[in-house]
Amino acid sequence: QVQLVESGGGLVQAGGSLRLSCVASGTFTTIYDMGWYRQGPGKQRELVASISRGGDINYADSVKGRFAISRDNAKNTVYLQMNSLKPEDTAVYYCNAGTALRDYWGQGTQVTVSS
């Protein structure tokens, strides 16, 4: 079992920055891919960014050049640095982590960007 706890969400003005963190704990051997997803009001959950254990990274086109994902394997932690935030980035952001058996989800953290 893996428990994921996100932190770092909040309210920020457009153009501002936030840094999300997600720590994985529990009983597991190896976490492979980690990532961030988001679900805005009335929208489906979508991938924001993902990073493999080896450091391969994917970004949604809408956040390229503004967001940066990173991870610390020793701490089982993944980060999302969000810069130049826009009102359309407003959403609940969810951490995702995959082991050899299944994927796990965090409870989500709210990010609200005011115009």
Side-chain angles (χ1 to χ4, degrees):
Q1 291 289 330
V2 177
Q3 292 79 46
L4 301 174
V5 178
E6 302 110 330
S7 61
L11 173 64
V12 64
Q13 288 187 333
S17 299
L18 285 173
R19 188 190 194 211
L20 305 183
S21 299
C22 171
V23 181
S25 62
T27 304
F28 54 87
T29 52
T30 303
I31 292 178
Y32 294 100
D33 290 352
M34 300 187 80
W36 291 95
Y37 289 70
R38 67 186 181 186
Q39 188 166 13
K43 297 181 180 180
Q44 291 188 332
R45 191 173 298 189
E46 62 177 359
L47 173 68
V48 177
S50 66
I51 182 168
S52 71
R53 186 169 184 81
D56 295 326
I57 292 174
N58 287 304
Y59 292 107
D61 287 344
S62 58
V63 306
K64 284 181 180 177
R66 300 188 298 123
F67 291 10
I69 190 171
S70 61
R71 68 186 284 175
D72 184 332
N73 291 330
K75 297 181 178 179
N76 294 310
T77 301
V78 63
Y79 306 96
L80 186 68
Q81 178 65 44
M82 304 186 294
N83 300 323
S84 302
L85 282 160
K86 304 175 181 180
E88 50 263 44
D89 295 318
T90 295
V92 178
Y93 284 69
Y94 297 91
C95 177
N96 174 271
T99 67
L101 297 178
R102 56 164 287 189
D103 280 1
Y104 294 87
W105 293 92
Q107 80 286 353
T109 184
Q110 177 70 45
V111 171
T112 302
V113 184
S114 63
S115 57

